[in-house]
Structure formats: C-alpha cells, structure tokens
Amino acid sequence: MERLHWVQHRCRQLLAADSGRGWYSAPDGLPNKSSPQRCSGKRRTVFARHGPQQQEYQAVSKDYKGNAICTTKYNMLTFIPMNLFQQFHRAANLYFLFLALLNWVPVVEAFQKEITMIPLLVVLTVIAIKDALEDYRRYLFDKKVNNNVVRVYCGKQKAYIEQCWKDVRVGDFVRLSCNEIIPADMLLLYSSDPRGVCYIETANLDGETNLKQRQVVSDLPLQGVEFTPESFHSHIECENPNNDLSRFRGYMEHSSGVRVGLHNCNLLLRSCTIRNTETVVGIVVYAGHETKAMMNNSGPRYKRSKLEKRLNTDVLWCVLLLIVMCLTAAIGHGLWMKQLKDPVFLVDGETSPALAGFYVFWTMIIVLQVLIPISLYVSIEIVKLGQIYFIHNDLALYNEQLDSRIQCRALNITEDLGQIQYLFSDKTGTLTENKMVFRRCSIYGVEYPHEENARRLEVYEAEKNEAAGHSLTLKSSCSGKSLSCRSLSCNRSSVSLHTLTAESEEEEDQLSNHIQPRTSAFCSRMAKEVVPDPELVRKLNWLCSPVLPLSDVSPGATSSLELTYITDFFLALAICNSVVVSSPSQPRHVVPEAQPLKSLEEIKLMFQRFSFSPFSALSTLSPPQIRGSPRSFTSRLFARGKTGSFTFSASPSSTTEGPDLGQDSNLETTNLRRKLDSSARVEEGEAGKVDDRETEDDRKSTQTDPDGARQHVEDITREVDTESDPDDELLYEAESPDEAALVHAARVYRCTLRGRSAESLLVDLPGIGSLSVQLLHILPFDSNRKRMSVVVRHPLTGEVVVYTKGADSVIMDLAEAPKGAEQAEEIYSHIRKQTQKHLDSYAREGLRTLCIAKKVVEEEEYEVWLKRQLLAESSIENREELLLESAQRLETNLTLLGSTGIVDRLQEEVPETIEALQRANIKVWVLTGDKQETAINIAYACKLLRPNDQLLTANCGSKDACAAILEELKLEVQRGEDSVTEQTAAGNHGESSSGCVAGFILVIDGRTLDWALQEELKGDFLELSCCCRAVICCRSTPLQKSQVVRLIRDQLNVMTLAVGDGANDVSMIQVADVGIGISGQEGMQAVMSSDFAISRFKHLSKLLLVHGHWCYSRLANMILYFIYKNVMYVNLLFWYQFFCGFSGSVMTNSWVLIFFNLIFTSVPPLIYGVLDRDTPADTLMQLPELYQAAQSSKVYVPYLFWITVLDAFYQSLVCFFVPYFAYAGSDVGELSFGSPINTSALLIILLHQVIESHTLTWIHALVLVLSGGFYFGFVLLFSVCCVTCSPPTNPVGVETLQMSQPLFYIVCALTTVTALLPRLLFRALHGSLHPSAMKKAAQVDKVDSEKYRRRMQRWNLSHSRSNRLPVCADNPGLEPSTGTEVS
C-alpha cells in the first residue's frame, strides 16, 4: 500500500511540475499526440459559491443557468401569439388562412366573410386547446420538480439549509441522504462510506435498475471525517454541458497547483437516486437545462411514414384537378360573358370577359376549396392515436412476468408496421433470453463439461415450459416479490429489480415461503445454482488436501502448473468485473474490513501440507528461487501471477472420494496431461506412489459407481451452500448478465467475491480466509477493445497483475507464448491449441464464449504506464483516445488461462415467429457480435437456417479476396437457381422431404463485411444478399450494423425494421424506417432510441402481421374514402356551374356547404380508420401470407386513386342530374333544387362507407345514424329559424317544404341506389369470381366464429374465479389472438 501511495504521489508531482507547459502537454519522454490550447469556449470553470474565491465565482457563474427547469412552451402572455405562429407553420392552416383572406376581396367573394373563417377557426381552436392542456400538464410537472426540497450549504449560517431545487446554483454544496433524488449534476466530494464510494440507481435516467458505483474525487481528505465546505479551496475545470451520459472529462486543481483527473465515476447525475449510502456531499457543476438528463430529454419521435409520402403525391393531383376545374370555370365564364346579349338580369357590363374570368377563377378556388383534403391530415393524426391506443392495450402484447406492455414512442408511423420487407435483428437479448447461465469451461487446455449442470438446465427448461402452460395472473410492481426488494436501513425502490428478475410463478411461490429481504438483478435461481464439475473439484481438493502430497505419477494426478492456472482462472472470474456486492445484513454494501492475512507461521503450516517436488516444473518457467521458506514457495507458486494459495478446504473423506463424472470427456486430455506434466516428474517418492495407487482406486470406483459420483457432487454443492451463513447471503449487482453468471460460477468453486471498494476487493477463500486484493485500476469494457481488465496487486507476492476477460477473437491474438524455455513454449502452444478447439466446440453448441487471461507487470513497466494513465485520466480533450491507447499498451503479451461457455437460451416462440415472418415475405437478417459458429447454431435453433438450406460463408482478410469470394458465391447461387429451375421443369419443385423450399443463407464475418461495405464492392454484396433467403453478419460492430441497414434501405428502396435490446443496437434502430427496442436485461438505451418498445421477440408477429396489417389497410382505405368524399361533393358544385354561367354560384346555402365536410361527414371516416378490420386477428396470425398485400402496397396504389376519383365523378353526375331531370320544367328555386342533391349526397357518402367497411358494429351504426340525424336536424332548424343567416338567399321554409313532398324522398332514394349500384355489383362480382386470399380467410373464419365465441365464453366462465386475465397469450389451448385483441 505504501508503494502505491508513493507512486501516486510521485506521478502527481510530475504532473504538477509539468502544469506550466500548457493544459494537457505530455511530460518529457511521452509522445504528445495532441496539444490542445486553452480555449474558454470548450470548457467551464466552477468555483465554490460559498468559499474563499468569491470574486472568481462571481466572474464565471453569471453565464451559468440556474437549476429551475421549464419544459412549457408558453405562458399566459405568449400563448396566443406563439401558438398561432407555430400553427401557421403548417401548410394546411396557411391554406385555410389564404382562402379566408381571399373571400374578403369583394370581386371574388363567394360566401359571407364570417363563414369562410369557420373551418380555420375550428382547426385553430381545437389544436390550441390540445396544446394548452399539454402545456398545462408540463407546467404542473415542472412546478412539482422545481419545488422539491434539498439541503444546500449556506455560507452565512455555516450550515446546510433546506432549499427548493429551483434555487440551487452551480458551485453550491449539496448534501443528500439515502433514497434522495439528485437535483443537479454534482461532483462527488464526500461519502459516508469509509472507502469513499456511493451507489446510485439510474432507472429514471436510462431505465437500468442495477446499482452503479460512484467514487469520491481522489486525493481529497479521508472520508471518515465530515466534509467541511469552508476548507474547500480548489476549483474545477470541466467540459461544457453535453448529452453524453457515459462521459465526463475534467480536472480539479488544488490551491497547491496539483491537478486531479475527473471522470464519469466522480459525477452524480440529475434524476438518479442515492442508494445504500447514508450521506453524500457534492458540488454542482451543471444545473437545470444544462444537466445531462435534461439535454437527453428529447420527447416522442416523429417520422414521416411511407403512406404519408404517397398521400402528398395524391394531394398534388388534387391541387392539379382543382386548378383544371377552376380554369374551366374561368374560361367558361369568360366565353359566357362574351356571348351574352341583352341580359334580363343584372350583369357587370363594365368588366371585360377576361378580367371577369380571372375573378371567377379565384371565386371557384373558394367554392371548391374542399377538393384539397387538408383536413385529412388532422384526421390521420386522430386515427393514429386511436390505433396506438388499441395497440397499447392489446393483452397479447402484455408481458405478465415483467408487468410491461408495448410502448408506442413514435406516434405517426403505425402504418409502416404493415409494409416491412427487411427485418434486422440482434441476437443476444433479442432472439435469446440474455439470462446467462454458466455452462462449462476450459482451463489449462482441459475441458470440464459440467454434465450435471447441463442436466440441471434441462430440468429448469422443463419446469419453465410446464409453468408456461398455465395462465399467469397479472403482477404489478407491488407484487410479493417486488415488495421484498427492500434493504434494512434505506428502502430501495420496489419496482427496480422486479422488472429484471423475471422468474416463473413457481419460483415466486417458493420465494414467498422464505422471503428474502432483498433480491438482485441477474440473480435468478438458475444463474446461481451452478453444479460444479467433479473432475475440477477433485483437482482443487488435491491442492488443499492435508494428507495427500501432490504427485504426478498417475494419469489422474494434477501438476502444480495446472493448479496455478485453475486458481488464477477462478480468481479472475471473481474480480475481473464491476459487480457491486451487498448482503441483507449489510444493506449499505459496506463489507467488513478484510481479516488480516494469516501469520507467516500459519502460512508455513498450510504450505507444509504440500509436497514441494511437483513444483519443480516451475523452475523452468521462472528464475530459480530458494525452496526452504514458505515465502519463496509462494513466490514460485505465484510466479507469473499464479495464485496457488487460493485453495479449497475439504475434509479428508471428501478428498479421497473425489469422483470423475467428466471422465469420458477428459479421456482425450489424459495424454496431454502426461505430456504437460512430464517435466514435473523429477522427484518422486514413496508417498507419491501411495498417493497414485489411492487415486487410481478412486477413479475406478467412480467409473463403477456413477450414482455415487453424482451423490458426491451433490454433497459438494450442499457443502458450498451450507458453508456460508444463510443470513449473510451475498447479493451481486451486475451491469450485465455475463458478469453475474461468472461471479456465481466462481462462488460455486468457493472463490467468493465478498466486497468491493474503490481501492480494494475482498475475496473469501477457504484455507486462507479473507484476502484484501488491492485494486489499482479498472479498464472497463468497450466495443473497440472487446475486453475488460483489472489491475491488482497480488496479496501474497506483491506483484502487479493484470486479469483480462474478453472476446476470444481478441484475447487469442493478444496471448503470446512465454519467452524462454522451449518446454514452456510447447506447453503454452498446446494450451492455446486445445482452448481454441474447445472454443469452436462451444460455439457450435450455441454457447457464448469468453477467454480469460493474465499478465504480470514489472514495477518499472507499471510506473511508466501509470504515469501515462494518470495523464490520460486528467485530460479533457481526446480523453477517450488516450485512455484507449493506454489500455491497449497494457493489455499485451497476455497468458491465456482458459475459456468459459455460457448458455443463453432462445426466448419462447422465436422459431415460430421467424417462420411466420418469412412466410409473410419478410427477409430476416441477424446482425450479431458473436462468433460465427455461435450465430449459425442459434440460426438453426430458431429455424432461420433450415436443414436443407445451403450455407454460403464469406470469410477473408483482404479486399481482393473479398471481391473474389463474392463473385464465386454469386456464381454458386446462380448454379443453384438454375438447378432449381431444372427441377421445377421436371416436376420437382425443389422441396425437401420436410416440404420447405431450399434457399441460400449467407454468413459473413465482420472483417469481410468491412470490405463488402466499401463503395467498390457493395454492389456485389447487395446483389448476392438479394439472392439469399437470409443473411447472418457475425462479429459485426454497431457501426457496421447501421451501415448494413442503411445500405439495404437506400439502395433497394425497401421498408426496413431493426430490433435490438442493447446500447450497441441503438445506431441501427435509429437508421431503420421502424426501430423496435426490446426492454430486456441490458438497460433501456435501445428502448429510448426506438419507435416501439416490446418485451419479447415473439410480440413482433402480432405487432406486424395483425396490427401492422390493420393500421395500413385502415389508413389506406380511409385516405381513399376521404378523397372520394371530397371529390364527389365538390363535383356537385362544379356541375352546377354549367347552368349558372360559371359565375361561382352554388345551389345550397353556405352554412350547409361549410358544415357538410366539417361536421356532417367528418366522424364516420375516423371510426372507419380506427375500428375497421378487413381480416380477423387469428386469421392473420394463421395465414402470414396475407401480410404481403399491405407489404406490396396493393391496398393503396396509384391506379386506385384514379379509380376512386372516377367513381366519385360518376356518383356526382348521378347525384346532380337525377334531381335535375326530376325537377326539370318546374318552378323550384335554386335552394329547393339543392335540397335533394345535398340529402342524396349525404346518404350516398355514408352508405358508400358501409359498402367499403369490413366491420360493422353498433359504434359504426350509431355514428352513421347520428351523422344523418344531425344533418336533418340542422337543415330543418335552419329552415325554420334563419331568415337573414345566408344573404342574399332566404332559406326559410325551403327544407320543410321539400321534406313534406313525396317527390323529395323518391328522388333521394332513386339517386342513392343509382349511384351506389355499380360499386355494389362490382364488389359482389369481384368477390365471387376472383376472391382474394383475405376474402377466403374471412369466409372460413366466419364459419367457426360462433363456435369459437361459445368456447371463449365457457373458458372465461371457468376461469372467472381465479381472478386472472380473461385471455392469456401463453395458453396453448386457445387461439392466441382473437380473444386477446382489444380492438
């Protein structure tokens, strides 16, 4: 410890001495990659508000924002002008405003000036009310947040006083207690924890519920003493506010001139919650809207859907149609005026025909304004809100275990869900559970299959399937399990861990019998109860046997070198992580101080149990050392960091009965062990021979009594469980399930992580006791390095050791054979070869693989590296690059210890979901960072890759090789397609015995993908991928994922969907047309970046095949109906112009004209767009092929627009000329003539919707009746009461007179039937002669609908007593969708 303090002190002295060179200048002897200059625009300086530097504080703090937040857009004074200003940014409102102003021009006035204002006022008022309500809700939320109370240091009173959040300023000292929410971004200066750490929960920020550890700024006074703000004379230099939650760069400069680097672990972020720490004190560096939480508050996502883009084109056609009609009227009026001789009525003779035609053009723009369906955009928004409501409340998309439902974060692309053509999926956590369970491992080139562990996983799988067969009740965040998630001294949020530990109901029942005070993320029963491998246990028991000396005579004996590898391996599993340790009895995560190491005499007695002779092998690998003392033996044992003293304590009986269940799988390694251990057979005594004979007897007894061996494994497991006090059970808070699985595995082998602080780790090992391992540095995992390392000082040897775990593709390249003895190189080469063989085997089984390695660093090398590391940590600019370079410099020449295989099971119904998506003609691509073999195995398991598919593999190391292999694969695909064509011509349709059509699957690794995405080769890659049924990209980085999605989206012009669950999937989720995040085990970064968030991959089938299909068909049909309705009614006014000299006159009063589209026919299309279902849900699920109609935009294609327009023209002709000929020769006025036309038009439009609707409910009937009733009520009331409402016409008595005559009803009926008969006949004939797949499916469904309804009633009745959901998606005995669909 003294040496570490000296090194730190010396490095700080060097940094302080070099501070005069500039801001981040490197000391002499270090390469200076970049020398940024001091720039006030790129950083901020923070002084204490109540400190000795008041003058400096006043100078710099005036530009910093306060902590009050304001998310509202308006206040009482600015609401009307700002809201109007924002609304008139919309083209629709500008169009309405233009028409209203145009009507105020006397020469083109068509209606009363007030009437043309009505549509604009209605739209503006409705949207203003909506905006006002939303803003008021934001105001109430802001007021609540700003008035939260926190304790802030007051310089006058010399004490902490309560202040509102809004009064906190940059530079304030804030004191927080357990469970308090952090009011601003603060630098941690003090923690009540004696180690200077505190724990925060970031669920409010990123959704992650596992605890994060933060530490006090280094080089501050001891944390055991209360912090005194008066003694704080330092100032802080840090970067300007930004929205990067994972980065904070800066330094603190003390009054002595010494600078201390600041990083993200020192920063407490606003909105996070203090957990398991009694008191913390921090200084505010960012406040209010400059905090990272507020800068990430982006709100809902808005995208333009493909349907809206198509709609814009059709609106332009409507504009063109309007211009043509207005030009026709203008030209016609000009010609009419020119030919008019001696008119019998008043005509403005002074205006020229051309000018009169010009005036009429603008008059007709006002009259025919409805032709442009501007209100359609508002209607679409309302319909989409209704569709989202039903999606959000679909019980089939509800996850009972997590108590979570689907989140619709993008409000305007629901119809895009029905047009997906390419789906890009992550693997881990998306297709799989992301619940990692330790399965098997390889150490020292020896594979340990953990067969009993495999059997245990099969049992759990069976239990889970059995539990899934029963309906699960709704569980809220206040369930019994979550209520138990409380610590003793500070109650932790009950919702946090319940959302991540989704176990079956049976497990909850077991937990309810013995409620634990707290639970932990990633700590399911399956992850913790690992069954140890008997062979590995036997070897470790030899290490600490009090009777048997180590000998290497027998094939079953273990060399000292292998034992050091084993112990190092498990020590690395225990400490190479960022796991936070706690226990119910110690809720503050404060672990007792490590017990002092045993005295030298006790260590001597412990090592006297060993025979020293087997360790002679180490003399060839390390410098010769004196053998007499235990210390020298320890040095030899831990030379190169070998931790042989981390042993097991076991009774002699358990040692001598060591079984070997892994005998079969380990037979091939017997010869290897003989070869590796040959160097250890120099000194063999009688004791060794006796030991050999006893060991052989044990092995024989194992082979003849496997049940006894299994019983022994159970005894070992029971011993591990009972060894620790159940009241002192450890709880591990891991940031990823991988870490939790490995720590639990190490604990099963009694290498237990007991505690963690900023500077040390407490590892409990039987035979030695608690060892305090000095933690020097943590080099966290990142996607570039693909590994994580910890730098520790070994507790026995005092050496600096680096333990590294990471992806095998990286670790195997960094691991090098030791220089020196030829025999050592041969051993290490053999270990690498066998480990690689085991890694390939694990990958073929679909296991996630990690490699474990280590490195012993010389003191001189460490001091040089430490100097660079401290410089990188204290940098603000280029800090990430410097830290990456520093980590890579240390992680070289590693010694490979072994590898692990972790099982990550498929989620339920993944194969069925992928099969359904492929039947729907959606191409599924898997983009993963895993090994190629693992990805292929998972592809087989989820039926993406079928047995008869042909696998195309693209792995190369250069651009030329990539171009060659792409050409070769294209030729191979061409030959395969030709052979399929020949088979088809011969009558064999290329189907295998299973009935599946064979296809090509392309598998490409990350290195090859880099070349394939380059400009010269991406065309070939695109052509090849289009010929394949699916593509699997392995070892792909987040950037490559987004590049692949962008390439397919832009080059093929297809609709893409990306689904993922982790931060590494965010880029591709944002690039895709539709991004879906899975709220799984890796936090909420993917969810926060997505358009929709689901909890299980299986929900995709219902979301796309049902809701996507419905949303698209509803909106497409509603748009066509809207266009038809507007064109049909506007043409009635246009035909009248031929009989009024194209003067712009109308045959109805202006109130009815305005209200016809605004009120009378506005609600039915909305109901149609929200509730219409062309095909039932269960039919869409059973026949995914129906999805292809929406996918190829068959519902809304250009020719349908023109058919709709022509149909509207026909119906308008009938609606106008039937009444015209019926009243021809009579003396009816223009309003009397217009009355049956308006009534017929209303009936035709409403009944047209009935014909087009696929679903008719009481809601539809009610809305249609109310629409018609409201029209008749309005016109009758208008006819009775209004005398001067519509000058110059007088509508009094017109409607009452018309509706009292039989001819009115005859005309309306004849007009309606004649107008709708062709469409009705066409629908009937087309449905009979050429029924679509949807029609057939709907007909089949109707046959069984009554039977199914009765069955559902019986089922709900039988389950009503259990107080459960009426329908459960997991119940295999029921159709999954009809009953569960709310809409």
Side-chain angles (χ1 to χ4, degrees), residues 1322-1346:
F1322 172 78
R1323 289 293 182 191
L1325 291 174
H1326 186 270
S1328 301
L1329 300 178
H1330 303 285
S1332 64
M1334 292 184 193
K1335 297 292 183 184
K1336 295 178 182 177
Q1339 190 65 30
V1340 171
D1341 183 79
K1342 288 179 181 178
V1343 174
D1344 298 330
S1345 60
E1346 187 62 31

Side-chain angles (χ1 to χ4, degrees), residues 191-211:
S191 171
S192 57
D193 189 295
R195 296 166 181 79
V197 298
C198 83
Y199 299 92
I200 62 172
E201 184 183 88
T202 60
N204 293 336
L205 198 60
D206 58 14
E208 296 187 14
T209 55
N210 52 297
L211 296 184

Side-chain angles (χ1 to χ4, degrees), residues 595-607 630 768 796:
Q595 298 293 330
L597 274 178
K598 297 178 182 293
S599 65
L600 189 60
E601 291 301 321
E602 293 179 24
I603 296 177
K604 184 185 299 183
L605 290 175
M606 180 185 69
F607 282 115
I768 294 183
L796 295 179

Side-chain angles (χ1 to χ4, degrees), residues 941-1053:
C942 65
K943 295 185 179 178
L944 180 66
L945 185 56
R946 295 180 297 215
N948 58 320
D949 286 332
Q950 186 173 349
L951 205 61
L952 307 176
T953 305
N955 298 328
C956 60
S958 67
K959 187 175 181 180
D960 295 337
C962 180
I965 199 170
L966 288 178
E967 287 294 334
E968 181 182 347
L969 292 177
K970 283 164 57 179
L971 293 175
E972 186 174 347
V973 169
Q974 184 63 42
R975 288 194 297 268
E977 291 176 347
D978 293 343
S979 63
V980 171
T981 305
E982 293 174 0
Q983 293 176 3
T984 304
N988 181 5
H989 296 282
E991 296 187 2
S992 65
S993 58
S994 62
C996 299
V997 179
F1000 295 95
I1001 308 295
L1002 175 63
V1003 180
I1004 184 170
D1005 68 344
R1007 186 182 303 176
T1008 309
L1009 190 60
D1010 262 338
W1011 301 116
L1013 292 174
Q1014 291 190 5
E1015 193 66 32
E1016 299 86 352
L1017 298 180
K1018 69 180 182 182
D1020 293 335
F1021 172 66
L1022 203 61
E1023 182 181 351
L1024 176 62
S1025 61
C1026 289
C1027 300
C1028 297
R1029 193 171 57 83
V1031 177
I1032 303 171
C1033 300
C1034 315
R1035 298 293 192 193
S1036 52
T1037 64
L1039 178 61
Q1040 287 177 332
K1041 291 182 179 183
S1042 62
Q1043 288 174 337
V1044 169
V1045 176
R1046 183 181 288 107
L1047 176 68
I1048 298 298
R1049 184 198 67 188
D1050 296 342
Q1051 297 297 322
L1052 300 182
N1053 194 26

